[in-house]
Amino acid sequence: MMLKTHLAIVTALLLHHLSLKVVASTANNSTLPNTISTGFSFLLVANNAIRRHDDGFLHLQPALPTNLQTQPPSSESNTFEPLQNSSSLVVSIGTGQGLRSYVLKVDTSVNMLPWIQCVPCIPHAPQHNDIFNFALSPTFHNIPGTSSYCVPPYGSFFSNQQCAIRITGPGGLLVTGFLEQDHLTKTDGTVIQPFVFGCSHSTRNFNSEGIFAGVISLGRSPLSLVMQVAARGVTQFSYCLIGGSKENRHSFLRFGSDIPHNPHYRTTRILPVLGAHESDYYLNLTGISLGGQKLEGIHPEMFARSSKDKKGGCVVDLGAPLTVVVQEVYNIIEESMWSHLQYLKLERVERPEFGLCFRATKAVIGSFKPLSLHFADEEAVLVLSPEKLFLMMHDKEGQIACLAMKSGNRTVIGAFQQVDTRFVYDVKDSKLSFASESCIRDTIEVD
């Protein structure tokens, strides 16, 4: 299912309204050009395992059977598409015969630079299109150990050698290769020159789903896509998620003047980093309310972050499907919701990956209340409607509603709770703004 969706999107990097000065670069040039851009956008692809139905809720889709001809998918299936990476980005790298488009997994869970698999890559993870062959791109350059880009955690044993990279991540991910540069391009011109990224020549334990060519992070690490763009004077980026859709529609990751205006933005401060390892945009979450009633027992200290073990704190994560809260907070939220609905004599249902699940009739759904996240700035309240709190699925006995939350080491506002809300990050002024929006209006249909 996901492969069919992504086959349609690997066309070209969608960028427009771009005004960018181009400067020549060499392998030893490590100074970013002083450029001014009015705005540009990348194609952003939502997780295809969910669909929004006419009831307004997101529904988890039945998994496709192995034999599609003899076992067509059924709404009564007891198995569902896995809840994996929530969003991916389409980028084009190289020039000339080396120009290729790639689908990259958006992952902000680790502090890393953008990386893709490059020829030769042994072993490599399966991906949709050919592995990047840098020999075909005339603008490709190695980055030597003498470059100012080549700083820890990257480096080389000898100054005249290439700058080596070693990236680790969840699930035993291990990527080794070299730091490189090329053009991040569109069909009619250069977007970022040079664009610095990692070329993986050995990729282990990377869940590519047979599609992704690598990973791109939107965090605050020095060589992330966002920071490379910010160094060129474009310091704001934005997205507005639609979740899955019956139509083959995809939204955008927008930069600069491409970001739509919204008069209803609420703004909260992005907290300063606590250490070099920290690339996330932490927010000061202070409390939670259900149906306008503050949940007792939840205190600001529960969202405090640690500079040592990356525990605690609150972030908004485009790559995480489900919202995560610390165990104490999760217990209070689940108990409060269950207590509120108890008079309906609900039947609880066990579902993997979820905590609170129950049979959902129209009467039950009509009793749901919104959950509000309160940030330190008085008017910065993110209201999560019931449609964003519960994920629906079906089995042979009917409809099931599951709370789209789980417990973890820190609070992460996941993609399901971000649907139909525009988020605007200002990395220069350290602000996050958000406002409700019908995100389907900022999409295109891809055949």
Side-chain angles (χ1 to χ4, degrees), residues 165-383:
I165 63 168
R166 185 177 188 274
I167 298 172
T168 59
L173 173 69
L174 177 60
V175 172
T176 56
F178 298 100
L179 199 62
E180 313 288 6
Q181 69 180 49
D182 206 331
H183 291 187
L184 191 65
T185 67
K186 64 175 183 175
T187 55
D188 60 348
T190 299
V191 178
I192 297 179
Q193 176 202 4
F195 173 62
V196 179
F197 61 98
C199 250
S200 173
H201 295 294
S202 175
T203 306
R204 299 180 185 274
N205 301 317
F206 174 49
N207 184 16
S208 68
E209 301 177 37
I211 299 168
F212 303 119
V215 169
I216 198 161
S217 173
L218 304 180
R220 290 195 277 186
S221 55
L223 293 180
S224 73
L225 172 64
V226 168
M227 290 306 165
Q228 290 193 54
V229 170
R232 291 156 172 83
V234 184
T235 60
Q236 292 184 331
F237 70 95
S238 172
Y239 60 84
C240 195
L241 298 183
I242 60 171
S245 64
K246 293 180 180 178
E247 305 82 13
N248 207 13
R249 306 195 69 87
H250 304 298
S251 54
F252 298 92
L253 175 68
R254 297 197 180 278
F255 287 83
S257 60
D258 265 21
I259 300 173
H261 174 71
N262 190 315
H264 305 295
Y265 281 128
R266 297 187 177 189
T267 301
T268 188
R269 186 167 62 96
I270 297 173
L271 301 176
V273 296
L274 292 180
H277 69 283
E278 190 175 277
S279 66
D280 294 293
Y281 304 94
Y282 279 93
L283 308 175
N284 192 359
L285 182 62
T286 59
I288 299 176
S289 59
L290 178 64
Q293 186 71 32
K294 182 179 178 181
L295 294 180
E296 298 297 332
I298 296 180
H299 309 289
E301 296 78 17
M302 294 179 174
F303 308 108
R305 57 183 170 149
S306 169
S307 61
K308 295 181 179 180
D309 53 15
K310 204 179 179 180
K311 293 183 179 180
C314 173
V315 299
V316 179
D317 191 346
L318 180 62
L322 296 177
T323 284
V324 179
V325 291
V326 293
Q327 187 68 60
E328 290 178 289
V329 174
Y330 177 83
N331 292 341
I332 294 173
I333 292 174
E334 181 178 309
E335 290 172 6
S336 299
M337 287 186 171
W338 185 244
S339 176
H340 165 66
L341 297 169
Q342 194 63 31
Y343 74 97
L344 294 170
K345 301 185 184 301
L346 301 178
E347 176 192 351
R348 291 194 68 153
V349 179
E350 295 296 326
R351 280 289 176 188
E353 295 195 56
F354 298 97
L356 177 61
C357 293
F358 48 84
R359 296 287 170 192
T361 63
K362 289 184 177 180
V364 172
I365 294 174
S367 300
F368 291 162
K369 290 185 177 181
L371 192 77
S372 299
L373 307 181
H374 300 263
F375 297 97
D377 309 85
E378 185 175 350
E379 294 188 0
V381 180
L382 180 61
V383 179

Side-chain angles (χ1 to χ4, degrees), residues 74 150 168:
S74 168
C150 193
T168 59

Side-chain angles (χ1 to χ4, degrees), residues 29-63:
N29 180 16
S30 57
T31 302
L32 293 175
N34 182 17
T35 59
I36 299 176
S37 172
T38 59
F40 52 93
S41 302
F42 296 83
L43 190 64
L44 188 64
V45 184
N47 189 323
N48 201 43
I50 57 173
R51 290 286 188 272
R52 169 164 284 175
H53 285 199
D54 293 338
D55 59 8
F57 284 85
L58 294 174
H59 289 243
L60 193 60
Q61 299 303 294

Side-chain angles (χ1 to χ4, degrees), residues 26-30 140-150 156 161-164 178-182 194-197 223:
T26 67
N28 290 315
N29 180 16
S30 57
F140 177 89
H141 293 289
N142 301 130
I143 293 180
T146 54
S147 170
S148 61
Y149 291 134
C150 193
S156 61
Q161 290 186 337
Q162 288 180 247
C163 186
F178 298 100
L179 199 62
E180 313 288 6
Q181 69 180 49
D182 206 331
F195 173 62
V196 179
F197 61 98
L223 293 180

